Amino acid sequence: ETGVTQSPTHLIKTRGQQVTLRCSSQSGHNTVSWYQQALGQGPQFIFQYYREEENGRGNFPPRFSGLQFPNYSSELNVNALELDDSALYLCASSSWDRGYNEQFFGPGTRLTVL
Amino acid sequence: AQSVTQLDSQVPVFEEAPVELRCNYSSSVSVYLFWYVQYPNQGLQLLLKYLSGSTLVKGINGFEAEFNKSQTSFHLRKPSVHISDTAEYFCAVSMNQGGKLIFGQGTELSVKP
């Protein structure tokens, strides 16, 4: 069983640019959640996708957007990057259809905004 | 709204000593409780969870936690730590089993020889 994978591992952008982060969910999972983890902080919920629809959103501005594809992989897009967007971005996959819905986390993408 | 407070940002401890990492939560509704571990440059791994039933929960790597509803606490314990337990530990709550997780700030456990 393949776990949750994320790409890229690291990337560096400058203020004002746009970035796309990718997440492949674990086999059999239909739900992906995205979290932002700033340095020295706990992860903060950005949003969740279930069967290609947004299923909850945290306190993040609209320039944070996402997509989920028919194969349940997902993208996180951030427009007009700001310095404070520098963080580790984690995705987690789970399955709403199978009783207890443990979220399995990927290794994250480290984004640095200069 | 739910919130989580981890009372210690850093916990240094010697190898083979017992350890307790403290977690308090605030919620007006019933919640599910979790402890995650994060090793350097890695994602989060679930250590244990409380969904219902017995208030003493056993997890992986010899960790256990006790849910105390009256004190709104969910402290993590291990009777004897190893060097390999050195990591960041996060307490989290959720209103449902698959919904958003609300994390505490984390506790850095440092195990010294």
Side-chain angles (χ1 to χ4, degrees), chain A residues 31 33 35 37 40-45 48 57-58 88 90 94 96 99-103 105-108 110, chain B residues 32 34 36 38 41-46 48-49 51 88 90 94 96-106:
Chain A
T31 303
S33 304
Y35 294 84
Q37 186 180 14
Q41 305 292 318
Q44 300 284 320
F45 175 75
Q48 182 180 80
R57 186 179 182 93
L88 179 69
L90 296 164
S94 59
W96 278 103
Y100 168 59
N101 303 313
E102 178 179 339
Q103 296 189 34
F105 283 82
R110 174 76 62 188
Chain B
Y32 301 103
F34 307 84
Y36 285 85
Q38 186 175 37
N41 301 314
Q42 294 187 27
L44 300 172
Q45 180 183 8
L46 181 66
L48 49 77
K49 60 187 180 288
L51 305 181
E88 190 85 18
F90 293 96
S94 176
N96 55 51
Q97 293 185 29
K100 72 174 184 179
L101 292 163
I102 298 168
F103 288 88
Q105 297 280 75

Side-chain angles (χ1 to χ4, degrees), chain B:
Chain B
Q2 294 79 36
S3 66
V4 177
T5 302
Q6 292 184 240
L7 298 162
D8 307 291
S9 59
Q10 294 180 317
V11 173
V13 64
F14 287 106
E15 193 174 17
E16 298 183 7
V19 70
E20 178 180 80
L21 307 184
R22 297 180 294 168
C23 171
N24 284 92
Y25 69 93
S26 172
S27 177
S28 58
V29 299
S30 295
V31 295
Y32 301 103
L33 296 156
F34 307 84
W35 274 99
Y36 285 85
V37 60
Q38 186 175 37
Y39 299 102
N41 301 314
Q42 294 187 27
L44 300 172
Q45 180 183 8
L46 181 66
L47 274 178
L48 49 77
K49 60 187 180 288
Y50 173 78
L51 305 181
S52 65
S54 173
T55 57
L56 182 62
V57 179
K58 294 191 182 296
I60 62 171
N61 301 341
F63 284 93
E64 64 180 31
E66 185 154 20
F67 169 55
N68 187 320
K69 187 173 182 178
S70 63
Q71 307 218 348
T72 60
S73 68
F74 190 55
H75 301 333
L76 181 70
R77 302 186 183 100
K78 186 170 183 178
S80 175
V81 294
H82 302 133
I83 298 287
S84 59
D85 292 323
T86 294
E88 190 85 18
Y89 291 78
F90 293 96
C91 180
V93 303
S94 176
M95 286 178 60
N96 55 51
Q97 293 185 29
K100 72 174 184 179
L101 292 163
I102 298 168
F103 288 88
Q105 297 280 75
T107 296
E108 183 184 346
L109 175 64
S110 177
V111 181
K112 304 178 185 307

